[in-house]
Amino acid sequence: VLKDQGYATGAVGKWHLGHLPKYLPINQGFDSYYGIPYSNDMQRNSAETGKRVTPLMRNEKVAQLLEDEGQRRVTREYTGEAVAFIKREARAARPFFLYLPHTAMHVPIFPHEDFVGSSRNGVYGDWVKEVDWSVGEVLKALDSTGVSEDTLVIFTSDNGHHSEGGNDPEFFDANGPLRGMKRDLYEGGIRVPTIAYWPTHIEAGSTSDHPFYFGD
């Protein structure tokens, strides 16, 4: 739909809507893709080394095979790709749509070394802080290219809290009064916060209880 309106379209990050070529982002309306094509806990054994690896793809080809510690780079690399996309399309004066679904904070948890130990909530909190940093870099790119006032930014989640961390206190697992969790159809599984930022159209500090749906 957006391509038909002249938008440049880019996807950076976790895809998880099919890893075979016909299902990848560039065959689903995106001009470019860089990321892991499913969850970062779906490692496979490398035919060359026998070690458990996760593919980091560019368009339809595997750019790197990441061992677990290599996943510490993904948030930083996603951010660099996203910022480069924004700057490139802003210079070209083209409207653009950027889809940036972070791998963080899916288990296994691998914050970059710069963020390890930086929070009061263990490694999970460390990775949350790194995503906060990433959002800041994206907003800086919009500001520096002069397109902030023409850009709607939406920040949300794909599901409620999860149980993968068990009772480990390092994992945030509170849904307040909502029943259920990830994989449930109760509100605790599907109702999530959303932030919309658009300086010229959305009043700062305003709130809305109007429900909406999006698919990941």
Side-chain angles (χ1 to χ4, degrees), residues 148-155 194-208 212:
S148 288
E149 294 188 354
D150 296 322
T151 305
L152 169 62
V153 179
I154 297 175
F155 184 92
T194 295
I195 299 171
Y197 173 76
W198 195 357
T200 56
H201 290 74
I202 300 174
E203 183 181 353
S206 59
T207 61
S208 173
F212 80 100

Side-chain angles (χ1 to χ4, degrees), residues 117-138:
S118 64
S119 79
R120 294 179 294 176
N121 195 28
V123 292
Y124 187 91
D126 296 343
W127 225 9
V128 170
K129 287 191 69 173
E130 188 174 4
V131 170
D132 285 347
W133 164 82
S134 175
V135 173
E137 293 300 299
V138 169

Side-chain angles (χ1 to χ4, degrees), residues 3 5 7 14 21 24 31 35 41 54 70 75 111 120 126 131 134 138 147 154 169 183 187 198-199 214:
K3 283 175 68 69
Q5 300 300 316
Y7 279 69
K14 176 185 176 183
L24 290 172
D31 297 321
D41 61 344
T54 304
T75 303
R120 294 179 294 176
D126 296 343
V131 170
S134 175
V138 169
V147 297
I154 297 175
R183 301 187 184 91
E187 281 195 89
W198 195 357
F214 81 99

Side-chain angles (χ1 to χ4, degrees), residues 14-18 39 99 101-102 106 156-159 182 213-216:
K14 176 185 176 183
W15 179 242
H16 213 182
L17 291 170
S39 293
Y99 177 52
H102 273 291
H106 198 283
T156 189
S157 178
D158 59 348
N159 50 251
K182 178 181 176 180
Y213 164 82
F214 81 99
D216 75 337

Side-chain angles (χ1 to χ4, degrees), residues 31-140:
D31 297 321
S32 61
Y33 173 59
Y34 183 78
I36 296 174
Y38 37 67
S39 293
N40 61 322
D41 61 344
M42 296 172 63
Q43 299 100 328
R44 296 292 184 269
N45 291 328
S46 167
E48 295 180 358
T49 66
K51 295 181 178 180
R52 300 278 284 175
V53 294
T54 304
L56 183 60
M57 301 189 70
R58 184 175 296 280
N59 298 327
E60 291 183 298
K61 295 184 178 180
V62 175
Q64 303 175 49
L65 289 175
L66 301 175
E67 296 178 20
D68 281 354
E69 285 299 306
Q71 290 197 35
R72 295 194 187 279
R73 305 197 312 270
V74 294
T75 303
R76 185 152 297 191
E77 293 199 16
Y78 291 172
T79 305
E81 290 283 330
V83 168
F85 175 87
I86 291 169
K87 291 183 176 180
R88 181 174 64 251
E89 302 308 329
R91 284 196 301 269
R94 284 186 295 188
F96 60 82
F97 171 65
L98 171 65
Y99 177 52
L100 175 58
H102 273 291
T103 290
M105 283 68 59
H106 198 283
V107 293
I109 307 294
F110 286 109
H112 190 274
E113 290 86 348
D114 289 351
F115 290 89
V116 172
S118 64
S119 79
R120 294 179 294 176
N121 195 28
V123 292
Y124 187 91
D126 296 343
W127 225 9
V128 170
K129 287 191 69 173
E130 188 174 4
V131 170
D132 285 347
W133 164 82
S134 175
V135 173
E137 293 300 299
V138 169
L139 295 180
K140 286 179 187 176

